[in-house]
Amino acid sequence: EELLEESGGGSVQPGGSLRLSCAAAGFTFSDFELNWVRQAPGKGLEWISFINKGGTDVFYADSVKGRFTISRDDAKNSLYLQMNSLKFDDTAVYFCARESALLWTPGYGMDVWGQGTTVTVSS
Amino acid sequence: QSALTQPPSASGSPGQSVTISCTGTSSDVGFYDYVSWYQQHPGKAPKLMIYEVTRRPSGVPDRFSGSKSGNTASLTVSGLQAEDEANYYCSSYAGNNNLLFGGGTKLTVL
């Protein structure tokens, strides 16, 4: 079974940092492009970051650009999201999701999702 | 860029058909054929239902179909079943390595 599992969420004060991880199993991780998508409480989905196969290209939504960094370690079958300068508006469930095919940019269609990890930014 | 526009709610009786719209602009939905639809049950992860406007991943029932006309994409669910009750989100590639989601539509099976 193809799986993604996020970890690293928690409660943090504004201005703080967190590092999310996403562990993959059941497929050849290095062959796929990956995204982070978040969902604020009671709200819709928001794409926030993409990394291509090989990790040479990374893209961000304007809402997180300059504060968040996406990376991957294919040897560990893992995806990461380093989140700095956190704001109240960053409170959300964070999902990692696999692109179903290579497009070299986000948007082909995300066919494997983790269950999400919750980030709460609160003073 | 703004999120894609979806109606907040839709409903239908079992066995009926319902269509959910997703309106963007000529820079996203109207320009690219990279529109996807996701189903999300409360407290669960989203599930890919449609990609590339009309294509269904394996395992998704053929009751689910997608289409696009101009700047508006649509998801049609035919032969509604109780388990189809969920939130549905569209997404579209928007150029400049950016992906937009719609605000979501809550589908109620009456």
Side-chain angles (χ1 to χ4, degrees), chain A residues 39-74:
Chain A
Q39 187 168 35
K43 302 297 185 182
L45 302 173
E46 179 189 14
W47 171 80
I48 57 171
S49 189
F50 165 94
I51 188 166
N52 71 339
K53 176 181 173 179
T56 55
D57 290 330
V58 296
F59 307 125
Y60 301 96
D62 288 344
S63 59
V64 305
K65 199 173 294 182
R67 301 187 299 122
F68 290 11
T69 302
I70 189 172
S71 62
R72 64 190 296 164
D73 185 337
D74 290 346

Side-chain angles (χ1 to χ4, degrees), chain B residues 90-107:
Chain B
C90 62
S91 73
S92 174
Y93 180 63
N96 294 319
N97 303 306
N98 188 33
L99 181 69
L100 295 177
F101 277 98
T105 297
K106 180 177 173 58
L107 175 60

Side-chain angles (χ1 to χ4, degrees), chain A:
Chain A
E1 185 182 5
E2 299 171 322
L3 294 173
L4 293 171
E5 182 175 6
E6 304 89 344
S7 60
S11 186
V12 63
Q13 292 186 332
S17 298
L18 273 179
R19 188 194 194 208
L20 306 184
S21 298
C22 171
F27 63 95
T28 305
F29 181 77
S30 58
D31 283 348
F32 290 89
E33 301 170 331
L34 299 150
N35 296 278
W36 287 99
V37 175
R38 70 184 179 184
Q39 187 168 35
K43 302 297 185 182
L45 302 173
E46 179 189 14
W47 171 80
I48 57 171
S49 189
F50 165 94
I51 188 166
N52 71 339
K53 176 181 173 179
T56 55
D57 290 330
V58 296
F59 307 125
Y60 301 96
D62 288 344
S63 59
V64 305
K65 199 173 294 182
R67 301 187 299 122
F68 290 11
T69 302
I70 189 172
S71 62
R72 64 190 296 164
D73 185 337
D74 290 346
K76 295 183 177 180
N77 291 336
S78 292
L79 174 73
Y80 305 102
L81 186 69
Q82 177 66 42
M83 304 187 297
N84 298 331
S85 303
L86 283 161
K87 305 175 181 180
F88 292 119
D89 287 351
D90 295 320
T91 294
V93 175
Y94 285 73
F95 297 98
C96 57
R98 185 186 83 173
E99 288 282 356
S100 57
L102 296 180
L103 187 63
W104 305 106
T105 199
Y108 193 86
M110 300 178 222
D111 64 341
V112 179
W113 293 68
Q115 286 304 304
T117 188
T118 300
V119 172
T120 302
V121 183
S122 172
S123 55

Side-chain angles (χ1 to χ4, degrees), chain B residues 9-34:
Chain B
S9 63
S11 63
S13 300
Q16 289 187 331
S17 293
V18 64
T19 296
I20 299 170
S21 62
C22 170
T23 301
T25 71
S26 57
S27 299
D28 39 66
V29 174
F31 192 85
Y32 299 100
D33 285 336
Y34 292 117

